[in-house]
C-alpha cells in the first residue's frame, strides 16, 4: 500500500468517524448562540420596560464612502419617557467634517415637534410629528420617523431581523454581546438597512454601541454611548430639561411639512 493510499484511507476514516461529532458540536454551538440571543433580547426588553430616563454622552460618526466624507459629532443625550410621547434632546457641542472643526448642533423632540438647529447655518428647522395628545411610538423600528436607540422590543427585532451572535473582537466595547441583525427580505426595513449591529452591555442590558450599515455598505453610521452606566439611567430628568436653548432666539426658523404619526 502506497503512502498516498494510506493518507487517503486515514482521511476517509477521519471523515467517517468524526464528521457526526463535528456536526453535533456545530449544532450544539448554534443552539447555544440562539439561547444567548434570546437571553440578550429578553434582558434588553426587561431593562427598557423599567426605563424612565437616560442621560449620557453620545458620539456619532457618519462614514460616507460614496463621497469619501467622514462626519463625527460628540455631545450629550437626554431621554425622558413621558405621556403621551417621550422627549429627547441631543446636543452635539463638538463636530468635525473631514478633520475640520464645526459648530454646535441640536436635535430636540418635545412630544409634538421635532427641531433641528445648526449653529453654522443660524437656523432652526421644525416638523410636527404628533398632534395635541396624539401618541407616537418612537420605539417602533417599523413605523417611527426616528426610532430611539433604547427601548426596542424583542418581538419587533425578531420579526424584522435575522439575528446572529458575533464572536468578540478587540475593538468591541468591554463586556458586551455583539448581535448582528440583518433585515428579513419581507420587512420594510430591508429597503432602509443592510445591517444593524447592537453591542449590548452584559450588566446594564442596554446598547453601548449601535452600527447601521446602508446603501450596500457605502454608508455606515455609528452611535456610541461611552459613559453609559447604571448612574446614567433613571436620574430624575424633568420635562423642563427639554426647553429650547436661548441661543435659538437668534436663529431663523423654518417649518417643514408635518409627518403623520404612526398608527
Amino acid at each position: 500500500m502506497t503512502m498516498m493510499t494510506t493518507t487517503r484511507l486515514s482521511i476517509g476514516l477521519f471523515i467517517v468517524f468524526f464528521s457526526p461529532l463535528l456536526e453535533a458540536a456545530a449544532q450544539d454551538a448554534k443552539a447555544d448562540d440562539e439561547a444567548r440571543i434570546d437571553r440578550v433580547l429578553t434582558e434588553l426588553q426587561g431593562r427598557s420596560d423599567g426605563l424612565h430616563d437616560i442621560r449620557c454622552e453620545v458620539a456619532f460618526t457618519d462614514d460616507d464612502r460614496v463621497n469619501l466624507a467622514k462626519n463625527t459629532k460628540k455631545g450629550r443625550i437626554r431621554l425622558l419617557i413621558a405621556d403621551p410621547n417621550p422627549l429627547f434632546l441631543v446636543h452635539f457641542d463638538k463636530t468635525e467634517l473631514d478633520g475640520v472643526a464645526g459648530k454646535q448642533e441640536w436635535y430636540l423632540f418635545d412630544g409634538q415637534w421635532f427641531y433641528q438647529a445648526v449653529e453654522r447655518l443660524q437656523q432652526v428647522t421644525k416638523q410636527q410629528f404628533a398632534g395635541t395628545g396624539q401618541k407616537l411610538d418612537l420605539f417602533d423600528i417599523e413605523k417611527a420617523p426616528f426610532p430611539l436607540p433604547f427601548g426596542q422590543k424583542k418581538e419587533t427585532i425578531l420579526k424584522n431581523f435575522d439575528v446572529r451572535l458575533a464572536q468578540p473582537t478587540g475593538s468591541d466595547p468591554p463586556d458586551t454581546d455583539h448581535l448582528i441583525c440583518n433585515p428579513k427580505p419581507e420587512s420594510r426595513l430591508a429597503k432602509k438597512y443592510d445591517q444593524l449591529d447592537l453591542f449590548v452591555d452584559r450588566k446594564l442590558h442596554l446598547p453601548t454601541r449601535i452600527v447601521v450599515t446602508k446603501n450596500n455598505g457605502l454608508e455606515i453610521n455609528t452611535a456610541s454611548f461611552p459613559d453609559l452606566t447604571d448612574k446614567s439611567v433613571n436620574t430624575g430628568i424633568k420635562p423642563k430639561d427639554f426647553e429650547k436653548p436661548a441661543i435659538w432666539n437668534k436663529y431663523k426658523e423654518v417649518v417643514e411639512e408635518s409627518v403623520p404619526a404612526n398608527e
Side-chain angles (χ1 to χ4, degrees):
M1 183 179 294
T2 66
M3 182 177 295
M4 182 175 293
T5 302
T6 302
T7 301
R8 288 175 177 172
L9 180 60
S10 298
I11 293 174
L13 290 173
F14 179 87
I15 293 173
V16 169
F17 288 106
F18 289 98
S19 286
L21 296 177
L22 294 174
E23 183 177 349
Q27 291 175 348
D28 289 342
K30 181 180 179 181
D32 289 343
D33 283 355
E34 290 175 348
R36 183 61 192 162
I37 290 169
D38 185 78
R39 286 197 300 273
V40 171
L41 293 179
T42 299
E43 291 165 348
L44 176 64
Q45 178 167 328
R47 186 59 188 261
S48 300
D49 288 342
L51 186 64
H52 174 266
D53 65 70
I54 285 181
R55 100 171 67 211
C56 65
E57 295 177 1
V58 56
F60 179 81
T61 301
D62 178 11
D63 188 359
D64 183 349
R65 299 183 178 182
V66 175
N67 299 306
L68 301 179
K70 192 169 186 179
N71 188 12
T72 62
K73 306 174 185 181
K74 294 182 180 180
R76 297 194 64 80
I77 181 172
R78 295 176 189 166
L79 168 67
L80 173 64
I81 308 303
D83 187 37
N85 295 315
L87 313 177
F88 74 83
L89 171 63
V90 181
H91 175 208
F92 292 114
D93 56 357
K94 295 180 181 179
T95 63
E96 185 178 290
L97 178 59
D98 290 336
V100 179
K103 294 183 179 290
Q104 300 180 90
E105 295 182 10
W106 296 263
Y107 300 85
L108 169 66
F109 181 65
D110 66 3
Q112 289 184 252
W113 289 85
F114 174 65
Y115 300 85
Q116 178 180 353
V118 181
E119 184 183 17
R120 176 176 54 84
L121 301 175
Q122 299 282 292
Q123 178 174 296
V124 179
T125 303
K126 57 184 290 189
Q127 269 184 301
Q128 187 175 18
F129 284 156
T132 303
Q134 190 173 18
K135 192 169 182 62
L136 181 66
D137 188 356
L138 294 184
F139 299 104
D140 190 334
I141 57 177
E142 295 180 280
K143 299 178 181 178
F146 43 76
L148 294 175
F150 310 109
Q152 301 302 329
K153 304 297 184 183
K154 179 175 87 168
E155 179 182 0
T156 306
I157 291 176
L158 293 177
K159 175 184 175 184
N160 287 277
F161 295 96
D162 292 317
V163 183
R164 67 184 191 275
L165 187 67
Q167 293 300 313
T169 69
S171 62
D172 292 357
D175 202 22
T176 56
D177 286 304
H178 179 187
L179 302 184
I180 299 177
C181 309
N182 295 108
K184 295 184 177 180
E186 65 272 17
S187 169
R188 78 176 185 90
L189 298 178
K191 296 180 180 180
K192 298 178 65 176
Y193 307 125
D194 298 340
Q195 184 169 296
L196 174 67
D197 291 65
L198 298 175
F199 296 83
V200 183
D201 188 276
R202 294 183 182 129
K203 296 179 180 177
L204 189 60
H205 307 308
L206 287 172
T208 55
R209 181 186 297 167
I210 299 172
V211 182
V212 177
T213 305
K214 301 184 250 185
N215 193 19
N216 294 320
L218 296 176
E219 184 178 353
I220 302 175
N221 303 139
T222 303
S224 299
F225 311 97
D227 71 338
L228 182 62
T229 66
D230 275 319
K231 294 181 179 180
S232 311
V233 180
N234 297 342
T235 64
I237 293 178
K238 306 295 183 184
K240 67 180 181 180
D241 295 319
F242 298 87
E243 294 178 355
K244 301 173 191 174
I247 194 174
W248 289 11
N249 295 328
K250 302 178 182 179
Y251 293 176
K252 175 185 177 182
E253 184 173 271
V254 176
V255 181
E256 295 191 346
E257 185 178 353
S258 299
V259 175
N262 52 20
E263 300 178 357

